[in-house]
Amino acid sequence: MKKDYMTRLERWARWMLPQQEAEDVIADYWDIVGTPPRPEEELLRDLGKPRDVIKPLTQKKPYYTWLAVFAVMAACILIPAESPLPLGSWLIWNSLFSHYGFLIPGVPLSFHFMALGLILSLIWFRPRKGEPKAPLPRSIIIALGVELALMAAVWWSFYQITLYPDGIMYQPALIPQWFYSRNGLATLNGHWMSSVLEWGGAAAGAVGIVGLVKARTCDRRWRAVYFLSLSAMMLAFCVLSLFTRMDFSADPWARTLRHSIEITAIGLIGTGVALC
């Protein structure tokens, strides 16, 4: 559904202009369009397209700075999100949990992505001085609920894998055997579960980008959706990394469990801070 003229103008203003300047421009144009707003055709004829209205007001340095910050935050979630997919880079994927970063020695690269994404989102979308505390939008609550459900599903998957460590053919322990016998179903395949983790993690990455855009154009607290999506994605890929290991000794399992707990804790704490 096409948005009305002022809705589109507001989003372009908040995307291209600094926060306070954007609010001032939006207030001025609400006075221009009138209450109720003039017809869409008349506004397009007199003012031009919303993007064309805002573009001349844009200062290059602040706008390009924002684009650079956005690119880094987007890369923190898009690069890992794509890596395990069919066209992704397995070099990046194998480095997420097996290689250690140079920024924080002894810490896997996956945590570097999380740290950078959290720090930049908290700094860039920090609240303005004197900003009133508004109720949390329902759309943010729903998005956070979806990501929490994904994290719970990943933990359930990890529980299943620990019960059937061959990772090839296994039956979910919480589903009784009679269900399969009565319905003529085969046991679930490890390849099926790995595909769910791959695409589920990638979907979380896509939701994170939506949260990042909305944090700029709608409500800064969408940064919480961005970071929880980043955390849910990393958790899914952390469990998925078990499928790529040939060594099923106690150490990889313990390491994956430790990393999963750390990712979950950092994700929940960071999300809580981002909501403030």
Side-chain angles (χ1 to χ4, degrees), residues 8 29 45 47 57 62 78-79 84 87 93 99 103 108 117 124 129 131 144 160-161 164 167 186 191 211 242 247:
R8 302 200 307 274
Y29 272 90
R45 184 192 67 224
L47 303 177
L57 305 176
L78 284 180
I79 292 176
L87 298 179
W93 162 244
H99 292 182
L103 295 178
W124 192 266
K129 188 176 181 180
E131 178 182 350
L144 292 175
Q160 299 300 323
I161 296 170
Y164 300 92
H191 177 71
L242 283 173
D247 178 15

Side-chain angles (χ1 to χ4, degrees), residues 111 155 158-159 162 235 238-239 241-242 245 250-264:
F111 289 89
W155 272 105
F158 181 70
Y159 168 68
T162 56
L235 179 62
C238 182
V239 175
S241 66
L242 283 173
R245 292 190 181 128
D251 181 65
W253 296 99
R255 184 168 62 246
T256 300
L257 177 61
R258 184 178 70 252
H259 288 169
S260 297
I261 293 174
E262 292 169 348
I263 290 171
T264 302

Side-chain angles (χ1 to χ4, degrees), residues 64-209:
Y64 290 157
T65 300
W66 153 242
L67 290 182
V69 173
F70 174 79
V72 174
M73 288 190 288
C76 287
I77 198 168
L78 284 180
I79 292 176
E82 185 195 17
S83 59
L85 297 180
L87 298 179
S89 171
W90 280 94
L91 179 61
I92 296 174
W93 162 244
N94 289 330
S95 299
L96 284 176
F97 299 98
S98 59
H99 292 182
Y100 296 96
F102 57 89
L103 295 178
I104 311 176
V107 175
L109 288 177
S110 55
F111 289 89
H112 288 68
F113 283 98
M114 292 182 66
L116 187 57
L118 176 61
I119 292 171
L120 284 179
S121 62
L122 289 177
I123 292 176
W124 192 266
F125 300 117
R126 62 186 180 275
R128 290 180 298 171
K129 188 176 181 180
E131 178 182 350
K133 188 73 172 180
L136 193 64
R138 181 178 299 179
S139 54
I140 294 181
I141 297 175
I142 294 173
L144 292 175
V146 170
E147 297 300 336
L148 288 172
L150 175 60
M151 295 181 81
V154 173
W155 272 105
W156 179 82
S157 300
F158 181 70
Y159 168 68
Q160 299 300 323
I161 296 170
T162 56
L163 291 179
Y164 300 92
D166 55 17
I168 299 174
M169 296 294 293
Y170 53 88
Q171 172 185 314
L174 298 183
I175 300 178
Q177 178 64 42
W178 61 261
F179 177 85
Y180 288 91
S181 301
R182 178 176 301 177
N183 293 278
L185 299 176
T187 54
L188 292 178
N189 190 279
H191 177 71
W192 177 86
M193 181 170 282
S194 67
S195 296
V196 170
L197 290 171
E198 288 174 10
W199 292 101
V207 173
I209 292 297

